[in-house]
Coordinates of all heavy atoms in Angstrom, one line a residue:
E48 N 2.4 6.1 10.0 CA 1.6 6.3 8.8 C 0.5 7.4 8.8 O 0.3 8.1 7.9 CB 0.9 4.9 8.4 CG 1.9 3.9 7.8 CD 2.5 4.4 6.5 OE1 1.9 5.1 5.8 OE2 3.7 4.0 6.3
P49 N -0.2 7.5 10.0 CA -1.3 8.4 10.0 C -0.9 9.9 9.9 O -1.8 10.7 9.8 CB -2.1 8.1 11.3 CG -1.4 6.9 11.9 CD -0.1 6.8 11.3
V50 N 0.4 10.2 10.1 CA 0.8 11.6 10.2 C 0.2 12.4 9.1 O -0.3 13.5 9.3 CB 2.3 11.7 10.2 CG1 2.7 13.2 10.0 CG2 2.9 11.1 11.5
L51 N 0.3 11.9 7.8 CA -0.2 12.7 6.7 C -1.6 12.3 6.2 O -2.1 12.8 5.2 CB 0.8 12.6 5.5 CG 2.1 13.3 5.8 CD1 3.0 13.1 4.6 CD2 1.9 14.8 5.9
A52 N -2.2 11.5 7.0 CA -3.5 11.0 6.6 C -4.5 12.2 6.4 O -5.4 12.1 5.6 CB -4.1 10.0 7.5
E53 N -4.3 13.2 7.1 CA -5.2 14.4 7.1 C -5.0 15.2 5.9 O -5.8 16.1 5.6 CB -5.1 15.2 8.3 CG -5.5 14.5 9.6 CD -7.0 14.1 9.5 OE1 -7.8 14.9 9.1 OE2 -7.2 12.9 9.8
I54 N -3.8 15.0 5.2 CA -3.6 15.8 4.0 C -4.3 15.2 2.8 O -4.0 14.2 2.4 CB -2.1 15.9 3.7 CG1 -1.4 16.6 4.9 CG2 -1.8 16.8 2.5 CD1 0.1 16.6 4.7
S55 N -5.3 15.9 2.4 CA -6.2 15.4 1.4 C -5.5 15.4 0.0 O -4.7 16.4 -0.2 CB -7.4 16.2 1.3 OG -8.0 16.1 0.1
A56 N -5.7 14.4 -0.8 CA -5.2 14.5 -2.2 C -5.9 15.6 -3.0 O -5.4 16.0 -4.0 CB -5.3 13.2 -2.9
E57 N -7.1 16.0 -2.5 CA -7.8 17.1 -3.2 C -7.3 18.4 -2.5 O -7.2 18.5 -1.3 CB -9.3 17.0 -2.9 CG -9.9 15.9 -3.7 CD -9.7 16.0 -5.2 OE1 -9.6 17.2 -5.7 OE2 -9.6 15.0 -5.8
P58 N -7.0 19.5 -3.3 CA -6.6 20.7 -2.8 C -7.8 21.3 -1.9 O -8.9 21.1 -2.2 CB -6.4 21.6 -4.0 CG -6.5 20.7 -5.2 CD -7.1 19.4 -4.8
V59 N -7.4 22.0 -0.9 CA -8.4 22.6 0.0 C -8.5 24.1 -0.1 O -7.4 24.7 -0.1 CB -8.0 22.2 1.5 CG1 -9.0 22.7 2.5 CG2 -7.8 20.7 1.6
A60 N -9.7 24.6 -0.2 CA -9.8 26.1 -0.2 C -9.4 26.6 1.1 O -9.8 26.0 2.2 CB -11.2 26.5 -0.6
P61 N -8.7 27.7 1.2 CA -8.3 28.3 2.5 C -9.5 28.8 3.3 O -10.4 29.3 2.6 CB -7.3 29.4 2.1 CG -7.8 29.8 0.8 CD -8.3 28.6 0.1
D62 N -9.4 28.8 4.6 CA -10.4 29.5 5.4 C -10.0 31.0 5.2 O -8.9 31.4 5.6 CB -10.2 29.1 6.8 CG -11.0 29.9 7.8 OD1 -11.5 31.0 7.4 OD2 -11.0 29.6 9.0
P63 N -10.9 31.8 4.6 CA -10.5 33.2 4.3 C -10.2 34.0 5.6 O -9.6 35.1 5.5 CB -11.7 33.7 3.5 CG -12.8 32.8 3.8 CD -12.2 31.5 4.2
V64 N -10.7 33.6 6.7 CA -10.5 34.4 7.9 C -9.1 34.1 8.5 O -8.3 35.0 8.8 CB -11.6 34.2 8.9 CG1 -11.4 35.0 10.2 CG2 -13.0 34.5 8.3
S65 N -8.8 32.8 8.7 CA -7.6 32.5 9.5 C -6.4 32.3 8.7 O -5.3 32.3 9.2 CB -7.9 31.2 10.3 OG -8.1 30.2 9.4
E66 N -6.5 32.2 7.4 CA -5.4 31.9 6.5 C -4.8 33.1 5.9 O -5.5 34.0 5.5 CB -5.8 30.9 5.4 CG -6.2 29.6 5.9 CD -5.0 28.7 6.3 OE1 -4.0 28.7 5.5 OE2 -5.0 28.1 7.4

Side-chain angles (χ1 to χ4, degrees):
E48 286 298 331
V50 168
L51 288 176
E53 293 303 312
I54 300 178
S55 157
E57 287 302 329
V59 182
D62 170 353
V64 179
S65 64
E66 293 285 313

